[in-house]
Amino acid sequence: MSTFRASRITSMAALVLAAAFATPFAARAQPARMSDGVVKIGVLTDMSSIFSDIGGKGSVIAAQMAVDDFGGKVNGVPVKVISADHQNKTDVAATIARDWFDNQQVDVVEDLLPSSVALAVANVAKAKRRIAIVTGAGTTRLVNEDCSPYTVQYSYDTYSFASNTVKAMTRSGDNSWYFLTVDYALGASLEKDATQALQHVNGQVAGRAKHPLNSADLSSYLLQAQASRAKVIALANAGADTVNAIKTAREFGITGPGKQKIAGLHMFISDIHSLGLEAAQGMTLTTAFYWDRDDASRTWAQRFFAKTGKMPTLVHAGTYSSVMHYLQAVQRTGTDEADTVMASMKQTPINDFFANGGQIRPDGLMVHDMYLVEVKSPKASKKPWDYYKVLQTIPANEAFRPLAQSQCALVKK
């Protein structure tokens, strides 16, 4: 072999060997396929009004906790959390969302309570091909007639809240209900789902009344409910409206031993804290999360408490979990492109302190176990925020409306 030929073979071999070793390192050195060199998460919530305890600043803190726990970066790209107050106005929320998507390169929007805001922002996200993860709103329209390939309803929906509470209360003979319903999307959805559940167990609707959002005085509505002689006054509202209704019913002597019962169809631990156990004791409700359920939930909740001075609602816990699930999908796929990330999110189960074996269905609903709880008496409560006795774990396949009944166009029949 000539010296030239041997040298050429040696050089070629060296190049092949160098390429073999260089390729993995070059691939790792390449920047992730991000749209603008940052993954940006926007928390759009009620910061100052009747739902601020349910979501609000707590949702922003929960999102930032998830980012910090993830390491602040995904595939070497920084992750940033921004937030805004939509003032419970759909036009304000939609305007903020458009600006975030068009001008601030927000990749995913979180929280989105209440339901009217969630529906408005989900439509904007669909048009802009960006992801909306709803952890705060309950209307089932989000995953039925108004479903979108870019929307996830993560924490709960009105079906899981209302139908499971109806089933539990009617088992003990409370089968006639009067609905006090807030006049917007959430109230309509709660009343509809609870009514259907009542019909399945041969229950009766004794009457119904609608009230405006953030009502200062609910006394006239409650007196109508009392006059109906229904066994249960069902509160198809949320936040301060729910708290005010329960306080007013107690002050007027409408509720109590041997009197009408209150069913809170959309209650959170923040509501119980505002009411106090003396007023709320004995109530049965459905929840997606309770901070004192197990070691994992307690550990995370104590961290949240250290930052906020309050135990987390299911919205706060769901926001942390969903941000983490989103970032894991970005890490797996190496991109923040919405369709790719959403596909990965739907393919991957959720297993954390919030949900074990959770799964995002084709219609965008994340199904997971729910919990039927009873509010403890002051005597039974042994420590601060010790509010719930867990009566039943409701399996995911029972807690949520079956996929076969979905009205979502994304579901193959």
Side-chain angles (χ1 to χ4, degrees):
M1 184 183 296
S2 68
T3 302
F4 172 77
R5 184 180 179 188
S7 175
R8 184 179 180 186
I9 292 174
T10 301
S11 298
M12 289 178 64
L15 287 172
V16 171
L17 189 62
F21 279 99
T23 300
F25 290 100
R28 284 197 292 268
Q30 291 174 355
R33 291 176 288 120
M34 304 300 177
S35 56
D36 60 346
V38 63
V39 173
K40 192 173 290 186
I41 299 165
V43 180
L44 188 54
T45 185
D46 176 4
M47 294 285 196
S48 55
S49 189
I50 65 172
F51 307 118
S52 57
D53 286 341
I54 297 172
K57 294 179 181 178
S59 289
V60 181
I61 291 169
Q64 189 63 57
M65 287 174 66
V67 170
D68 292 343
D69 288 350
F70 202 82
K73 294 183 178 181
V74 55
N75 295 335
V77 174
V79 182
K80 183 178 181 180
V81 176
I82 65 172
S83 62
D85 183 355
H86 53 54
Q87 305 169 45
N88 289 321
K89 297 176 181 178
T90 55
D91 57 339
V92 172
T95 298
I96 292 171
R98 289 191 190 95
D99 176 61
W100 278 2
F101 294 145
D102 290 341
N103 304 315
Q104 301 192 46
Q105 290 75 49
V106 168
D107 298 292
V108 57
V109 179
E110 288 269 352
D111 187 318
L112 297 177
L113 59 77
S115 292
S116 53
V117 163
L119 289 167
V121 174
N123 284 333
V124 176
K126 181 179 180 180
K128 302 297 182 179
R129 297 172 65 91
R130 302 291 176 89
I131 294 174
I133 303 181
V134 181
T135 57
T139 178
T140 54
R141 285 173 54 186
L142 287 162
V143 291
N144 281 281
E145 58 266 41
D146 293 312
C147 73
S148 160
Y150 301 101
T151 298
V152 176
Q153 191 166 26
Y154 196 89
S155 300
Y156 74 102
D157 66 1
T158 55
Y159 178 96
S160 63
F161 267 15
S163 64
N164 289 298
T165 301
V166 167
K167 291 174 187 176
M169 294 188 70
T170 54
R171 280 196 293 265
S172 60
D174 297 320
N175 57 3
S176 62
W177 290 47
Y178 186 98
F179 288 93
L180 182 55
T181 304
V182 65
D183 192 12
Y184 77 100
L186 172 72
S189 192
L190 282 168
E191 183 180 316
K192 178 182 177 181
D193 290 327
T195 299
Q196 290 176 347
L198 272 174
Q199 292 171 345
H200 289 154
V201 295
N202 297 318
Q204 297 178 343
V205 177
R208 50 174 58 90
K210 289 184 178 180
H211 70 82
L213 177 66
N214 202 11
S215 296
D217 185 3
L218 294 170
S219 56
S220 62
Y221 302 102
L222 287 163
L223 290 173
Q224 292 175 43
Q226 183 184 38
S228 74
R229 297 186 179 181
K231 293 181 179 179
V232 178
I233 301 174
L235 303 180
N237 51 22
D241 284 333
T242 297
V243 171
N244 290 340
I246 295 172
K247 286 182 176 179
T248 302
R250 183 177 174 83
E251 291 169 2
F252 279 48
I254 296 172
T255 58
K259 299 180 180 181
Q260 289 169 300
K261 294 182 179 179
I262 292 284
L265 299 180
H266 190 269
M267 292 198 72
F268 299 80
I269 198 167
S270 53
D271 301 324
I272 306 302
H273 189 70
S274 296
L275 283 166
L277 292 181
E278 186 66 35
Q281 61 183 310
M283 290 185 65
T284 301
L285 58 102
T286 305
T287 186
F289 173 81
Y290 178 43
W291 74 270
D292 203 19
R293 189 182 74 250
D294 57 26
D295 288 342
S297 62
R298 279 188 288 272
T299 298
W300 184 81
Q302 292 291 353
R303 292 178 55 214
F304 182 88
F305 183 87
K307 294 178 178 292
T308 64
K310 299 178 181 180
M311 284 301 176
T313 67
L314 68 90
V315 176
H316 302 145
T319 298
Y320 177 99
S321 174
S322 62
V323 168
M324 188 66 73
H325 189 59
Y326 171 80
L327 291 176
Q328 289 167 347
V330 173
Q331 184 179 57
R332 282 190 300 271
T333 59
T335 182
D336 59 6
E337 193 276 321
D339 292 282
T340 303
V341 173
M342 184 65 83
S344 180
M345 290 175 65
K346 288 184 175 181
Q347 292 166 2
T348 309
I350 296 99
N351 289 293
D352 58 15
F353 70 90
F354 179 76
N356 290 315
Q359 188 72 50
I360 301 173
R361 301 192 317 194
D363 57 359
L365 180 63
M366 201 277 271
V367 294
H368 50 87
D369 293 349
M370 298 287 286
Y371 305 94
L372 185 71
V373 301
E374 180 182 282
V375 180
K376 291 182 176 182
S377 67
K379 184 178 179 180
S381 179
K382 303 301 182 184
K383 56 188 175 182
W385 295 88
D386 178 21
Y387 294 162
Y388 292 162
K389 175 183 178 182
V390 178
L391 302 176
Q392 179 189 355
T393 298
I394 308 168
N397 62 343
E398 297 178 16
F400 293 88
R401 179 180 281 114
L403 184 60
Q405 296 178 16
S406 175
Q407 301 170 38
C408 176
L410 302 173
V411 178
K412 297 179 180 179
K413 302 296 185 179

